[in-house]
Amino acid sequence: MAMMSAPAAQAHNGYVTSNRPACNGVVEGHSNDTGTVWTTYRRQGSCKGHAWIRVKTNLGWSSWKHAPGSAVLVIDDRIYATEHKGCSGCYVKGIYHNH
């Protein structure tokens, strides 16, 4: 008798990029569904933006974390979604993980 089993789940990685055309800034974000999330703000023009990030786990959305250059979160929980932006009022780009 043969035993059948479901294939092992693979980690999902996601990437986003957004531009701030008025000042030539670029925001890059990355997340996977198993623990590491980052946003990098690349100042290429007149903007002085920060890298902003927040994470959704089974507890809901975290508060925003920001820093000049890069913001990194290491999460010891399953990640359902992340949001990334380059300033407090900037457009938000999201990455969503299916479980």
Side-chain angles (χ1 to χ4, degrees):
M1 176 195 277
M3 297 284 288
M4 303 285 284
S5 63
Q10 300 232 346
H12 172 259
N13 292 305
Y15 298 90
V16 292
T17 302
S18 63
N19 296 311
R20 293 182 68 190
C23 59
N24 220 15
V26 177
V27 177
E28 297 173 338
H30 168 268
S31 72
N32 62 46
D33 56 5
T34 58
T36 304
V37 181
W38 55 260
T39 301
T40 300
Y41 183 80
R42 301 196 188 292
R43 182 178 171 200
Q44 297 178 334
S46 59
C47 292
K48 295 181 181 178
H50 278 201
W52 290 71
I53 190 167
R54 71 179 185 156
V55 177
K56 184 178 183 181
T57 66
N58 63 336
L59 300 174
W61 284 102
S62 70
S63 58
W64 285 100
K65 175 182 179 179
H66 66 97
S70 292
V72 178
L73 295 172
V74 178
I75 306 297
D76 190 25
D77 202 348
R78 182 165 287 188
I79 296 171
Y80 293 97
T82 60
E83 292 186 334
H84 310 261
K85 61 184 181 175
C87 68
S88 63
C90 285
Y91 181 77
V92 175
K93 287 270 190 136
I95 299 171
Y96 302 92
H97 300 282
N98 296 324
H99 296 286

